[in-house]
Amino acid sequence: MTNNREDYLKVIFKLNESGNKVNNKLIAQHLNVAPASVSEMLKKLSKEGLIVIHNYNIDLTDKAISITKDILSKHRLWETFLLTKMNYKWQDVHEQAEKLEHVTDESLKSKLNEFLNFPKCCPHGSIIYENQESEIDEIISMDLLKVKEKAKIIRVHSDRDLLSYLDRLGLNINSEFKVVERDLFDNSMKIEFMDKEIVISFKALSAIYVIKI
């Protein structure tokens, strides 16, 4: 399978996982390609039995889901390796893992997984399907929290700007905090974390996932 095909499968998988109805326009936006190119690739994926298109909604077949989970596991294992063994920052591992996932066969993935002691999640909190099949049921986006509720960060989008932003604030996976205030003007959130108060922008809140504690 080509790298390009794998990238399409990952985008469709992640969009479906986040609850979106997947269509050509959404895929084009996420891959930053022309809609015509998306249409052409979708025809190929459909003929190969990897997607099903019904009422303009695109779903992966069981075969494609299995392939995609394998790709994502490779990606997230490399992110874990780069962070824990090569001292990369968590905002820098995604780009390198994108390259390494495409050249990793099953034997290398298995040895890498064993070397890392079978981690359940990557540095950004996304599960590694090889070692954990499903997400924690109680996980919600941070913007759904109410004042006075306490929570722990479980997962964040692997967006470089977001990760750098959280790094500057001192927040990471497993950081625990209490919601102090919600600004009525810009919907930003003030939290209490490590005996200090921090303001989180509204833009970041929907890309941070937590569990209540």
Side-chain angles (χ1 to χ4, degrees):
M1 178 173 291
T2 64
N3 295 0
N4 195 25
R5 279 173 167 76
E6 290 182 353
D7 289 339
Y8 270 83
L9 294 183
K10 286 194 300 179
V11 165
I12 296 169
F13 181 89
K14 289 179 180 179
L15 287 171
N16 270 320
E17 193 177 43
S18 62
N20 289 288
K21 288 189 175 181
V22 186
N23 54 41
N24 291 38
K25 184 179 179 181
L26 265 179
I27 296 172
Q29 289 173 348
H30 278 76
L31 288 175
N32 196 26
V33 295
S37 298
V38 174
S39 297
E40 187 62 32
M41 177 57 77
L42 292 180
K43 288 178 184 177
K44 294 177 182 178
L45 295 176
S46 180
K47 287 181 180 178
E48 293 166 8
L50 297 173
I51 65 169
V52 175
I53 304 173
H54 180 67
N55 291 335
Y56 302 102
N57 186 47
I58 302 159
D59 287 309
L60 297 180
T61 62
D62 290 343
K63 175 184 175 183
I65 289 173
S66 178
I67 292 170
T68 308
K69 285 183 174 180
D70 181 64
I71 298 165
L72 290 172
S73 287
K74 292 173 182 177
H75 179 98
R76 293 167 183 174
L77 284 168
W78 280 119
E79 286 186 329
T80 305
F81 174 81
L82 292 168
L83 181 82
T84 62
K85 306 300 180 182
M86 301 295 287
N87 298 318
Y88 274 68
K89 292 183 178 180
W90 72 333
Q91 62 262 38
D92 297 329
V93 297
H94 179 75
E95 184 177 345
Q96 295 299 324
E98 281 285 325
K99 301 172 185 176
L100 291 165
E101 70 183 53
H102 294 301
V103 295
T104 303
D105 61 17
E106 289 304 306
S107 175
L108 177 55
K109 183 185 76 169
S110 179
K111 290 178 181 178
L112 179 63
N113 196 16
E114 183 178 3
F115 177 70
L116 294 171
N117 198 27
F118 310 101
K120 292 186 176 181
C121 297
C122 76
H124 311 122
S126 294
I127 64 172
I128 297 172
Y129 297 100
E130 194 80 4
N131 306 322
Q132 179 176 313
E133 182 59 29
S134 59
E135 297 277 8
I136 300 171
D137 290 338
E138 312 88 47
I139 191 169
I140 60 171
S141 60
M142 191 171 173
D143 62 322
L144 297 178
L145 292 174
K146 299 176 181 178
V147 174
K148 295 185 179 180
E149 287 187 322
K150 296 180 180 180
K152 178 168 70 173
I153 297 176
I154 295 297
R155 177 163 55 91
V156 296
H157 287 182
S158 53
D159 176 270
R160 184 182 178 85
D161 291 337
L162 171 67
L163 296 169
S164 296
Y165 172 71
L166 294 178
D167 200 35
R168 291 195 299 273
L169 294 176
L171 294 171
N172 210 318
I173 299 300
N174 295 323
S175 292
E176 297 183 5
F177 63 90
K178 178 182 177 181
V179 180
V180 175
E181 183 183 336
R182 194 70 184 262
D183 194 291
L184 295 177
F185 175 70
D186 63 5
N187 267 327
S188 61
M189 180 183 289
K190 182 184 289 185
I191 65 170
E192 183 181 291
F193 170 68
M194 301 286 286
D195 298 322
K196 59 183 178 180
E197 292 188 345
I198 298 172
V199 176
I200 311 294
S201 73
F202 174 69
K203 182 180 179 181
L205 292 175
S206 61
I208 304 170
Y209 296 88
V210 302
I211 55 171
K212 296 178 184 180
I213 56 175

